[in-house]
Amino acid sequence: MLPPLTEALHQLGMLIKQPAFDPAQAKRVFRLAMSDYGSLVILPGLVRILRSNAPGIDLQVVQASRTSMLTGVQDGDIDMAFGVFHSPLSDELRSHTLFIEHFVCAADRNTLAKEGGLEKTEWLRRPHVLVAMQSSESNEIENTLHREGVSRRVAMTLPHWGVASRVVENTDLILTAARRSFDLFLEESPLQLFTPPYPIDPFEFSMVWHSRRESDAGHNWMRRAIIEMLREDEAKEPDE
């Protein structure tokens, strides 16, 4: 009976005029689901916004599979989920594409020629690092190689983006990952970024929430803050 009751209460709430939301005075907790890649992209900027404009808002961040994230949003356990969601969403869920992400490769610069990149043959010959929750997960890189009729040797599979770039240092390993996952490591890192020799399809990074939240002024404010923050960050990105 819980889902029908929840929906009935939601409809009743929509009939009642919602008070204006004042982020400076608000006291509440938002439950967000994302990978550590999502955390790297979203949390630093979002926390700065909250500490400056909404210090009474707290965050609870969890990591889960894509399916579990959507289930959490559907059940009301999660306010917003962030990630790459390929499957069609249920009718009750809403989504917004936050940005289009591209892939780059990273290798220790001492193992590369002066040009900084690798040809297809050498790229395939080198051992690779894969970032995935499970080694059997389908991903954009393997999908591209499958279409090309080639395969690579994955010497290490990791569930975390943060450490992946560090294990490549001083080795012959190659990491192919989302461009934004390297932003914090460029200045002091011995890694060289270069374009993958095989064209890998970009992906949409999205925010998902339940339609029942759309009458929630605080939820609306949070979504707009995240969208605007990432839009400003993208505008600051140098042209490549």
Side-chain angles (χ1 to χ4, degrees):
M1 294 180 61
L2 184 58
L5 178 60
T6 300
E7 185 60 27
L9 291 174
H10 167 61
Q11 296 295 333
L12 178 62
M14 293 183 66
L15 299 176
I16 302 174
K17 183 178 180 181
Q18 295 291 319
F21 179 74
D22 182 0
Q25 301 299 321
K27 305 288 185 183
R28 65 182 294 180
V29 177
F30 281 95
R31 297 158 296 179
L32 311 181
M34 62 187 74
S35 68
D36 61 339
Y37 165 75
S39 298
L40 177 66
V41 173
I42 294 172
L43 291 184
L46 178 58
V47 168
R48 286 192 291 271
I49 290 174
L50 295 181
R51 298 317 303 158
S52 297
N53 302 292
I57 291 181
D58 299 330
L59 300 179
Q60 291 181 355
V61 182
V62 300
Q63 183 173 3
S65 67
R66 297 170 185 177
T67 300
S68 296
M69 286 186 190
L70 296 180
T71 299
V73 174
Q74 187 76 47
D75 294 344
D77 296 327
I78 298 298
D79 291 303
M80 286 166 255
F82 301 84
V84 182
F85 304 101
H86 297 296
S87 302
L89 301 178
S90 67
D91 293 339
E92 295 84 10
L93 298 186
R94 304 289 182 263
S95 69
H96 177 86
T97 299
L98 295 171
F99 54 81
I100 306 297
E101 179 65 294
H102 296 80
F103 285 91
V104 296
C105 296
D108 191 291
R109 67 179 72 255
N110 293 323
T111 69
L112 299 174
K114 290 183 178 181
E115 298 78 39
L118 290 173
E119 298 295 331
K120 291 180 177 179
T121 301
E122 180 59 25
W123 189 87
L124 290 174
R125 184 180 297 122
R126 298 270 289 266
H128 291 253
V129 176
L130 170 65
V131 180
M133 292 290 290
Q134 299 177 0
S135 59
S136 59
E137 279 187 352
S138 175
N139 61 75
E140 293 83 358
I141 304 168
E142 260 57 51
N143 292 341
T144 294
L145 298 181
H146 180 73
R147 290 196 301 266
E148 297 284 341
V150 298
S151 62
R152 61 176 181 164
R153 176 198 167 201
V154 176
M156 176 178 291
T157 302
L158 295 170
H160 309 298
W161 290 94
V163 72
S165 63
R166 301 297 301 273
V167 303
V168 174
E169 297 176 8
N170 302 312
T171 74
D172 60 346
L173 291 167
I174 297 174
L175 171 63
T176 303
R179 171 62 180 81
R180 287 170 174 81
S181 64
F182 295 104
D183 284 348
L184 296 184
F185 307 106
L186 291 181
E187 292 184 2
E188 301 178 358
S189 173
L191 300 184
Q192 173 70 46
L193 303 186
F194 59 95
T195 302
Y198 292 93
I200 304 171
D201 293 337
F203 62 84
E204 296 182 357
F205 188 83
S206 301
M207 172 173 59
V208 175
W209 66 96
H210 200 283
S211 59
R212 73 171 72 95
R213 304 292 189 185
E214 296 190 324
S215 60
D216 183 332
H219 201 281
N220 292 335
W221 178 87
M222 177 68 85
R223 296 199 311 272
R224 288 195 301 269
I226 292 171
I227 291 170
E228 183 61 29
M229 174 195 71
L230 292 174
R231 184 181 295 126
E232 292 178 358
D233 287 347
E234 194 163 14
K236 297 176 184 176
E237 285 287 320
D239 295 331
E240 296 185 2

